[in-house]
């Protein structure tokens, strides 16, 4: 598969509607975020292993999530689960030079590698070694929040840290499979819709 084939399929099947999400995918080199021996599979539509037993999400999965997130230039976005940093790079394009992306990662080694990869590419991204269950209260509220790990339930802290109006996109469910949920906060109420079934690595509870 090639980058172009993937993009044509998303458009033909009306899976990705936001042209800016397609543009971001076009511009970010996914091959830079996978381990060297997996580079030639960078544009297969499958998750790939990254260091420490974690994965970089399947391209279609991440596109569906970003399409649901409705990111506009200038927004402040929080991501939970930096992993390879690939989603950060896509978000960086979507928020543009006046926007900001904060991404939380529990594993310090993954955070460091992602930070190095993004240093020259995405100056508007900050990666922090923090527990995503707590969010990032000191930088709240966020226009958008995206969780790229499987949550058994929606962390309350994240709902508190979402702007009104705002959108959070999160895969919720057991480790065997999750439902992609999009919650729109408006006038302090939430409208929920689901957009497919996914398989993410778990959002871990930090050992204290
Ligand atoms: N968005 C990533 C894929 C994320 S995989 C990419 O583009 O590559 C999920 C990541 O969430 C893993 O790196 C894992 O270490 C991290 N993670 C798991 N539990 C977490 C928690 N409680 N807080 C922050 N990060 C967490």
């Amino acid at each position: 598969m090639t980058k172009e084939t993937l993009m044509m399929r998303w458009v033909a099947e009306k899976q990705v509607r936001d042209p800016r999400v397609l543009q971001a995918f076009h511009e970010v080199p996914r091959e830079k975020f996978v381990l060297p021996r997996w580079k030639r599979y960078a544009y297969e539509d499958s998750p790939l292993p990254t260091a420490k037993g974690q994965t970089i999400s399947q391209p279609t999965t991440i596109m569906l999530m970003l399409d649901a997130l409705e990111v506009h230039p200038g927004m402040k976005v929080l991501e939970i689960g930096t992993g390879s940093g690939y989603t950060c790079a896509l978000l960086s394009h979507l928020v543009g030079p006046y926007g900001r992306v904060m991404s939380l990662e529990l594993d310090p080694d993954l955070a460091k590698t992602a930070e190095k990869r993004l240093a020259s590419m995405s100056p508007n991204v900050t990666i922090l070694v923090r527990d995503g269950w707590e969010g990032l209260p000191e930088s709240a509220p966020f226009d958008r929040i995206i969780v790229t790990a499987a949550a058994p339930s929606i962390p309350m802290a994240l709902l508190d840290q979402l702007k009104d109006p705002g959108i959070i996109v999160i895969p919720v469910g057991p480790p065997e499979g999750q439902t992609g949920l999009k919650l729109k906060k408006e006038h302090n109420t939430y409208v929920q819709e689901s957009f497919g079934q996914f398989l993410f690595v778990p959002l871990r509870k930090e050992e204290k």
Side-chain angles (χ1 to χ4, degrees):
M1 198 101 61
T2 65
K3 206 173 209 178
E4 285 66 32
T5 335
L6 277 175
M7 291 174 67
M8 279 181 331
R9 203 179 68 193
W10 293 327
V11 172
E13 293 177 11
K14 297 193 171 56
Q15 283 179 298
V16 182
R17 288 156 201 272
D18 184 345
R20 297 187 61 250
V21 169
L22 289 170
Q23 185 63 26
F25 178 76
H26 182 69
E27 280 172 26
V28 176
R30 190 170 188 258
E31 61 275 16
K32 292 230 164 96
F33 295 84
V34 305
L35 297 175
R37 64 178 172 282
W38 294 101
K39 270 199 197 322
R40 68 191 145 119
Y41 302 108
Y43 293 100
E44 292 305 315
D45 198 16
S46 60
L48 292 173
T50 51
K52 315 285 283 270
Q54 300 300 319
T55 54
I56 173 170
S57 310
Q58 179 179 350
T60 297
T61 300
I62 214 66
M63 289 301 115
L64 290 175
M65 292 193 79
L66 291 179
D67 204 53
L69 200 60
E70 299 179 28
V71 181
H72 302 298
M75 281 186 165
K76 187 163 77 172
V77 180
L78 177 68
E79 181 198 24
I80 309 298
T82 313
S84 68
Y86 179 61
T87 314
C88 289
L90 295 166
L91 287 168
S92 161
H93 273 268
L94 292 170
V95 300
Y98 301 109
R100 210 131 189 80
V101 179
M102 324 282 286
S103 183
L104 309 186
E105 171 57 58
L106 213 47
D107 185 304
D109 296 333
L110 288 177
K112 201 184 281 172
T113 311
E115 199 167 45
K116 269 196 216 139
R117 283 184 184 132
L118 292 165
S120 57
M121 227 188 274
S122 311
N124 54 357
V125 174
T126 307
I127 295 169
L128 297 159
V129 180
R130 295 274 288 261
D131 182 3
W133 281 97
E134 312 291 334
L136 194 61
E138 66 270 36
S139 300
F142 298 94
D143 298 291
R144 300 288 186 260
I145 300 179
I146 176 169
V147 181
T148 57
S153 60
I154 303 175
M156 284 315 289
L158 298 185
L159 293 182
D160 290 342
Q161 293 169 29
L162 185 62
K163 244 185 223 174
D164 190 344
I167 297 176
I168 178 170
V169 167
I170 177 169
V172 177
E176 305 80 59
Q178 306 89 39
T179 303
L181 293 184
K182 169 179 183 171
L183 272 84
K184 258 189 183 182
K185 188 187 212 177
E186 210 163 0
H187 306 305
N188 222 12
T189 57
Y190 293 92
V191 179
Q192 180 178 315
E193 68 186 70
S194 56
F195 58 95
Q197 294 301 310
F198 301 103
L199 189 60
F200 277 88
V201 298
L203 183 67
R204 300 189 302 277
K205 294 264 185 197
E206 194 177 28
E207 322 264 323
K208 291 213 171 111

